[in-house]
Amino acid sequence: MSTQKFNIAVVGATGAVGHEMLSILEERNFPINELRLLASERSAGKKLSFKGKEIEVQVLNENSFEGIEIALFSAGGSISKKFVPAAIKAGAVSVDNTSAFRMDPNTPLVVPEVNPDAIKDHNGCIANPNCSTIQMVVALKPLHDAGKIKRIVVSTYQSVSGAGVKAIQEMYAEAQAIIENRVYQRQIFPHQIAFNILPQIPQENAFMKNGYSEEELKMINETKKIMGDDSIRVTATTVRVPVERAHSEAVNVETEKKITADQARELLSKAPGVQVQDDLDKGEFPLASNATGQDPVFVGRIREDLSLENGLEMWVVADNLRKGAALNAIQIGEYLVAHPELLKKQVSSS
Ligand code: NAP
Ligand code: 3JN
């Protein structure tokens, strides 16, 4: 086993995704030499705990990547656009959780269970897909390999944690205010989120001229790029629900070759990263509350579509902050450390 350890930066370490990254790096015993935590001036001097030690958060700047080998970005697209080039210049490979480079033809967009080999084509940056896309493609890849997917129709039920730490706080504060019959001044969501459902993601400037939201177009475009198949037709409706954590999706797929519900269950039960929870007699199907804090993509309610010759319906649930963001990025990091030749700089042995 290699004894190499690596210098890692986490950009956005104080955020919802950053917090999850630190837990997963610790849990999976990622081989770290130095861990550099970066955030905005608001967090200057703040300390975060990692493996029992307190690490001070540093303010992100152009020189933050000196000596860094892997930089994990989750501080928003504009920060990535500005600082991924600085990280590359310093010799680090970036794994970017934002949409900044996802559709850039020179940047691989990777879900390790689906297209790990794309990592080899990186030019200093590897993009992590949108959370809703990640969990869907993990569940669909084995069906695509078996029967070639022609069309996907997906509706999402996305938790508030997808909109960041402040959005979680807003859902609880608004629920409390409603229960106590108080007026609540919203800051994050455009409409009431507590005890309500919003067919708008993201919360600002969501909609395009064609009526689709930005999140829906991300799912459509990213799915084709990750699956490496532009011929798959995809349509999506993305919806915010008052759930703290884990996104749920109703996914309908049409395949070229017939796949029965039993065959789909069999294929999915063997697929990497998937856990089938599908026993209606026992009342078993995936639930956001059970998926919270878990790594797999849970699939259930698998059934043949009564309206189509070769169609399947399923319910797909995953923790958006783990497999949908931090875990997927760290799996890409693990691939890089397992193939150190893919890290641009010479890495030092500990
Ligand atoms: P969040 O809880 O609001 O956290 C934002 C993080 O970014 C904080 O650490 C914040 O630092 C940092 N930040 C903000 N402005 C900064 C600046 N000017 N310089 C340095 N750091 C700055 O948001 P989140 O939910 O963790 O999401 C963060 C980003 O990750 C999103 O914007 C999105 O691009 C990406 N994301 C991706 C997925 C996915 O589907 N793969 C899912 C969720 C999020 P302070 O605490 O100092 O403000
Ligand atoms: O809303 C969600 O459930 C997922 C949100 C993801 C997100 C939030 C702000 C900016 C993204 C993303 O990952 O696509 C971005 C972005 O980077 O564009």
Side-chain angles (χ1 to χ4, degrees):
M1 219 172 86
S2 169
T3 55
Q4 277 182 319
K5 290 190 176 176
F6 301 83
N7 296 337
I8 308 295
V10 177
V11 183
T14 52
V17 177
H19 178 265
E20 214 52 40
M21 282 192 173
L22 299 190
S23 309
I24 296 172
L25 287 169
E26 182 165 340
E27 242 171 72
R28 293 170 79 98
N29 208 16
F30 197 93
I32 297 177
N33 179 37
E34 182 197 336
L35 180 61
R36 202 170 296 169
L37 305 182
L38 301 162
S40 79
E41 277 170 6
R42 291 178 289 275
S43 301
K46 192 171 174 180
K47 288 188 173 149
L48 298 175
S49 160
F50 184 76
K51 290 195 171 177
K53 285 191 189 142
E54 299 284 291
I55 302 179
E56 191 164 318
V57 177
Q58 300 177 24
V59 178
L60 174 67
N61 66 50
E62 300 279 340
N63 302 317
S64 294
F65 302 96
E66 199 62 40
I68 292 296
E69 283 146 339
I70 301 176
L72 303 169
F73 278 81
S74 64
S78 58
I79 299 294
S80 292
K81 278 188 187 142
K82 187 164 172 204
F83 290 100
V84 164
I88 294 174
K89 199 167 163 204
V93 175
S94 296
V95 182
D96 183 29
N97 247 302
T98 81
S99 58
F101 301 101
R102 286 181 193 149
M103 297 313 295
D104 169 15
N106 294 315
T107 304
L109 181 63
V110 174
V111 177
E113 291 85 348
V114 179
N115 62 339
D117 290 345
I119 297 173
K120 294 187 181 128
D121 300 328
H122 83 78
N123 295 299
C125 179
I126 298 142
N128 209 53
N130 177 271
C131 42
S132 301
T133 312
I134 293 176
Q135 66 184 70
M136 184 173 78
V137 297
V138 168
L140 292 187
K141 176 71 162 84
L143 305 180
H144 189 49
D145 289 344
K148 189 162 183 349
I149 292 175
K150 284 166 70 179
R151 182 168 186 245
I152 302 166
V153 182
V154 56
S155 300
T156 70
Y157 304 70
Q158 296 181 220
S159 64
V160 291
S161 55
V165 168
K166 287 188 180 143
I168 303 172
Q169 291 160 353
E170 179 154 302
M171 178 187 71
Y172 284 112
E174 189 174 45
Q176 196 63 38
I178 290 170
I179 289 165
E180 293 168 3
N181 205 18
R182 283 187 284 109
V183 174
Y184 178 75
Q185 206 61 49
R186 276 185 297 278
Q187 286 175 5
I188 306 292
F189 292 108
H191 303 283
Q192 179 183 323
I193 182 64
F195 312 109
N196 208 6
I197 290 180
L198 309 181
Q200 173 186 334
I201 302 179
Q203 50 276 12
E204 292 171 336
N205 304 321
F207 297 110
M208 312 292 135
K209 280 214 173 81
N210 63 8
Y212 277 82
S213 73
E214 204 177 279
E215 186 84 350
E216 288 157 0
L217 293 182
K218 283 175 185 172
M219 287 193 80
I220 293 167
N221 296 327
E222 292 176 17
T223 298
K224 295 174 191 215
K225 179 166 175 180
I226 299 159
M227 300 283 240
D229 189 342
D230 269 342
S231 74
I232 302 175
R233 285 172 293 151
V234 188
T235 186
T237 302
T238 59
V239 179
R240 186 77 68 200
V241 294
V243 165
E244 180 174 332
R245 204 155 143 173
H247 290 356
S248 305
E249 299 176 347
V251 184
N252 179 284
V253 276
E254 183 180 2
T255 49
E256 241 169 59
K257 202 175 132 203
K258 172 95 182 153
I259 302 174
T260 65
D262 282 341
Q263 285 168 337
R265 256 177 236 111
E266 176 72 13
L267 288 164
L268 286 163
S269 65
K270 291 185 195 140
V274 175
Q275 192 169 320
V276 174
Q277 287 184 333
D278 197 18
D279 189 337
L280 297 184
D281 292 337
K282 292 187 188 152
E284 182 195 81
F285 38 73
L287 291 173
S289 54
N290 292 339
T292 296
Q294 304 291 315
D295 289 347
V297 172
F298 297 94
V299 187
R301 297 291 321 278
I302 301 164
R303 60 205 190 275
E304 285 155 43
D305 180 343
L306 294 175
S307 72
L308 268 181
E309 196 64 37
N310 296 340
L312 287 168
E313 289 278 4
M314 63 189 88
W315 183 245
V316 179
V317 181
D319 186 325
N320 54 302
L321 297 181
R322 286 182 78 90
K323 185 56 194 165
L327 173 62
N328 197 74
I330 290 166
Q331 286 176 294
I332 294 170
E334 287 172 344
Y335 187 100
L336 290 169
V337 305
H339 301 83
E341 70 282 2
L342 296 175
L343 291 167
K344 294 245 161 96
K345 279 178 70 177
Q346 200 58 40
V347 289
S348 55
S349 294
S350 68

